[in-house]
Amino acid sequence: MTQEGAQQAPVNFWGEHPATEAEYYASHGAEGESSYFTPPGASPRRLFTRAWRPAAAGGTPPRALVFMVHGYGNDISWTFQSTAVFLARSGFACFAADLPGHGRSHGLRAFVPALEPAVADLLAFFRSVKQREEHAGLPCFLFGESMGGAICLLIHLRTPPGEWTGAVLVAPMCRISDRIRPPWPLPQILTLVARFAPTLPIVPTADLIEKSVKVPAKRLVSARNPMRYNGRPRLGTVTELLRATDELGARLGEVSVPFLVVHGSADEVTDPAVSRALYEAAASKDKTLKMYDGMLHSMLFGEPDENIERVRGDILAWLNERCTPAATS
């Protein structure tokens, strides 16, 4: 490798020190592992999965399980881990999988022609974790960022009431923002062309890192993610996201799971107005919406550290309140 190549080679998202993931986890009071999961009857599809838990040296079992879903083009092995490690050191066992076509999971990069199989695969993985003996009786939360928030809502809408203790939705993609949605009649044209060439990466879009990450130095870190998809969106993926978010937009009133939505008021990738619409329309008796003035889409990595700590603190407080048994008289 040339000197220039060495300077450009990806490093860990937290920097050069500590040198390994295990050391990074340990320095934050957590431990982790990775593996592959093959959904029943789904061969040869495989999902790359990760788990983050409170460090065993602490001797305290996890307070709850948090099942996490990343956003479009992203994966679970780069900056996404920072939130999982934070939750693990705070007493939660976290589990996540790279979506099909993302990260180290099976499939053409960033090609999601149908969300239903992805939802089914994730649900199979999540349920396999929930069924482990050591997890019996623990509260179970969904956690989704951006497109992952939409997938969490789809999982909720396709599972029995009461299966989930709650859901944390971070800038959820309940509808693609008009600011990045292709203007009419381009969606209709794309849908037609996608029938014949769904994998073509030709859909024009804004630079998502530029629009998502506020801190310039953190943009560089995000861009160095070796597993991130940086090409143009594929036709089949875009038409499927348009279809799925249209479905969600029409079904907001059916959402009944307890939830917390956190969203930045300056988000230009997902629409804060739709998070407000979700809060107003949802049938959930326990629902909370927190809007953060001036924050962009990447609320848990791309903002100044003090903003990240504020959002993390609100998420942790919400989870803690729903893990603490109600006082009895």
Side-chain angles (χ1 to χ4, degrees):
M1 181 181 292
T2 65
Q3 181 177 359
E4 180 182 0
Q7 292 173 346
Q8 295 177 352
V11 295
N12 299 317
F13 73 87
W14 59 83
E16 296 182 2
H17 304 286
T20 68
E21 266 185 358
E23 291 172 325
Y24 169 71
Y25 296 153
S27 69
H28 287 77
E31 58 186 28
E33 64 185 40
S34 61
S35 63
Y36 280 90
F37 174 78
T38 301
S43 182
R45 291 203 308 270
R46 293 199 308 165
L47 300 181
F48 177 76
T49 71
R50 285 185 178 272
W52 303 265
R53 301 180 180 87
T60 303
R63 305 184 62 214
L65 310 180
V66 180
F67 297 97
M68 307 178 74
V69 189
H70 66 79
Y72 167 78
N74 207 346
D75 69 294
I76 60 174
S77 298
W78 199 247
T79 59
F80 187 84
Q81 291 200 74
S82 61
T83 301
V85 169
F86 166 76
L87 291 174
R89 81 180 185 203
S90 302
F92 296 86
C94 302
F95 303 86
D98 282 334
L99 293 168
H102 290 72
R104 294 177 173 86
S105 287
H106 177 87
L108 179 65
R109 310 317 304 153
F111 182 48
V112 186
L115 276 178
E116 287 302 319
V119 168
D121 289 355
L122 282 176
L123 184 57
F125 169 58
F126 292 167
R127 284 175 168 168
S128 74
V129 172
K130 290 170 62 177
Q131 290 167 2
R132 296 174 189 172
E133 183 177 355
E134 65 269 27
H135 296 157
L138 290 178
C140 296
F141 295 92
L142 294 168
F143 179 107
E145 295 185 1
S146 193
M147 183 179 76
I151 291 175
C152 286
L153 289 177
L154 290 173
I155 289 174
H156 158 59
L157 291 171
R158 285 155 175 74
T159 50
E163 179 159 351
W164 308 102
T165 308
V168 176
L169 309 172
V170 181
M173 186 186 284
C174 298
R175 187 180 73 202
I176 296 178
S177 171
D178 290 338
R179 287 170 285 193
I180 66 168
R181 185 185 181 103
W184 183 91
L186 194 52
Q188 290 73 17
I189 296 173
L190 293 177
T191 300
L192 177 62
V193 177
R195 295 178 184 176
F196 304 98
T199 64
L200 281 181
I202 62 172
V203 181
T205 187
D207 183 333
L208 293 183
I209 290 179
E210 185 73 21
K211 284 189 172 291
S212 299
V213 180
K214 182 182 293 182
V215 178
K218 294 184 177 184
R219 290 180 193 153
L220 297 176
V221 175
S222 295
R224 285 201 302 264
N225 180 354
M227 302 302 297
R228 183 180 180 86
Y229 177 74
N230 293 309
R232 285 189 170 187
R234 301 182 188 276
L235 281 171
T237 301
V238 170
T239 56
E240 174 61 6
L241 289 178
L242 290 171
R243 183 208 63 78
T245 53
D246 284 347
E247 175 193 342
L248 276 178
R251 299 184 64 185
L252 296 182
E254 299 177 40
V255 174
S256 59
V257 68
F259 68 79
L260 166 67
V261 173
V262 295
H263 214 137
S265 68
D267 193 334
E268 294 187 10
V269 177
T270 58
D271 195 340
V274 180
S275 285
R276 295 189 187 96
L278 168 63
Y279 174 77
E280 293 169 359
S284 307
K285 295 181 180 179
D286 177 1
K287 53 185 178 179
T288 304
L289 170 66
K290 288 187 175 290
M291 301 295 298
Y292 299 84
D293 188 44
M295 289 196 196
L296 301 184
H297 188 62
S298 179
M299 306 175 67
L300 292 172
F301 176 75
E303 291 286 325
D305 290 347
E306 58 269 23
N307 287 356
I308 294 172
E309 291 173 6
R310 179 183 168 196
V311 179
R312 280 180 175 179
D314 288 341
I315 291 172
L316 182 59
W318 190 88
L319 290 170
N320 281 335
E321 287 175 6
R322 284 146 191 84
C323 293
T324 304
T328 57
S329 57

